[in-house]
Amino acid sequence: AQSVTQLGSHVSVSEGALVLLRCNYSSSVPPYLFWYVQYPNQGLQLLLKYTSAATLVKGINGFEAEFKKSETSFHLTKPSAHMSDAAEYFCAVVKDSNYQLIWGAGTKLIIKP
Amino acid sequence: GAGVSQSPSNKVTEKGKDVELRCDPISGHTALYWYRQSLGQGLEFLIYFQGNSAPDKSGLPSDRFSAERTGGSVSTLTIQRTQQEDSAVYLCASSLGQGSTGELFFGEGSRLTVL
C-alpha cells in the first residue's frame, strides 16, 4: 500500500540556518508528490509539486525539493530560515488507484531567533 | 468567490446536538474534499465529491456523519448527535478536476468544539 512518512513531528532551526524537512514515500509507479504549508489558523496552501518533469522543484518562499527515486524521498529544503517560515508542512503523494492524495502526518517547523 | 469559503469559522456546541458545516468552493471546481484535523494530528480524509456525487465516502468515521453537495457547488457536512471526540478543525478543499494531479485549494476551516 502506498504511504508517506515524514520524519520528525517537530523540527527546530535557528533563523538563517538551513531548513530540511524529510519525506519518504512508497509508490509502485512514478508518483506525483506535493508539499503543502499550513500557517497558524489557516488552511493549507501548495508550496510545490513534482510531476515527473525536473527532479529539482522550486516552490514559493524560497523552498525547493528534490525527487530522488533511488531513495524514494522528496525532502524539502530552504537555505536560510526566516521567522515567517514557522508553520506546519505536509508531504503528500497521489494514490495510484483513485488519484486521491495520501498525506504525511506533518512536521511543525519552529524557528528560533 | 476568490477562494474556498467555509462557515462557521468557529462553532461551539453541546454534546448530543447536530451541527452543519458549510463549504463554498472556488467557482468551476468540480472536485470537493472534506478533511478533519484534530489537535496535533495530520489530515484525516472524510469524503470526496465529483460534481454532486460522492464516489469516495470511505473516510466518514460513523453514520453520524453525512455530507451532500448541491448544484455542483456548495457542500454541507452534517454531524448528528455530536460527541466530544468530534472536536476538530474541519477543512474543505476544491480542485479543478478529478483527483489530485492538480492543486488543492483549501478553506481556512471550521473549528468545532463539543462541550
Side-chain angles (χ1 to χ4, degrees):
Chain A
Q2 287 176 279
S3 64
V4 176
T5 303
Q6 290 184 241
L7 288 175
S9 59
H10 293 76
V11 169
S12 180
V13 303
S14 297
E15 191 174 17
L18 171 72
V19 175
L20 171 61
L21 304 182
R22 299 178 186 274
C23 173
N24 288 89
Y25 69 91
S26 68
S27 177
S28 58
V29 298
Y32 287 159
L33 292 158
F34 300 80
W35 276 100
Y36 280 79
V37 60
Q38 186 179 30
Y39 297 103
N41 300 312
Q42 294 187 25
L44 282 73
Q45 65 181 89
L46 183 68
L47 259 185
L48 50 81
K49 63 181 179 182
Y50 168 75
T51 56
S52 305
T55 57
L56 183 62
V57 182
K58 294 188 183 299
I60 61 172
N61 301 336
F63 283 91
E64 61 183 35
E66 185 172 8
F67 171 69
K68 291 187 176 180
K69 184 178 179 181
S70 61
E71 298 177 10
T72 61
S73 69
F74 191 56
H75 301 331
L76 182 70
T77 61
K78 182 174 180 178
S80 176
H82 293 180
M83 295 300 292
S84 60
D85 295 326
E88 190 156 18
Y89 294 79
F90 293 90
C91 182
V93 65
V94 171
K95 191 174 180 180
D96 299 341
S97 58
N98 63 5
Y99 304 103
Q100 304 299 321
L101 280 176
I102 299 171
W103 296 88
T107 297
K108 188 160 288 187
L109 178 62
I110 300 160
I111 311 295
K112 297 179 291 186
Chain B
V4 177
S5 179
Q6 292 189 246
S7 62
S9 54
N10 277 286
K11 176 72 176 179
V12 179
T13 190
E14 293 179 349
K15 178 181 172 181
K17 295 284 179 71
D18 297 351
V19 297
E20 284 189 353
L21 308 177
R22 175 188 167 108
C23 174
D24 200 342
I26 292 172
S27 178
H29 280 194
T30 59
L32 186 147
Y33 306 78
W34 283 99
Y35 290 92
R36 181 166 70 175
Q37 189 174 30
S38 303
L39 189 64
Q41 302 295 313
L43 290 170
E44 178 186 4
F45 169 77
L46 297 178
I47 189 169
Y48 156 66
F49 287 93
Q50 181 61 37
N52 290 336
S53 64
D56 191 348
K57 303 180 183 179
S58 62
L60 294 176
S62 76
D63 59 7
R64 296 186 296 106
F65 287 72
S66 62
E68 66 175 11
R69 189 179 185 193
T70 55
S73 181
V74 172
S75 176
T76 302
L77 177 68
T78 301
I79 309 172
Q80 296 178 308
R81 304 181 303 282
T82 52
Q83 304 294 313
Q84 288 183 331
E85 61 263 28
D86 299 334
S87 296
V89 176
Y90 290 82
L91 291 168
C92 176
S94 69
S95 68
L96 271 173
Q98 178 187 359
S100 303
T101 55
E103 178 179 353
L104 289 187
F105 294 81
F106 281 82
E108 294 192 348
S110 292
R111 182 177 298 275
L112 175 65
T113 303
V114 182
L115 301 177

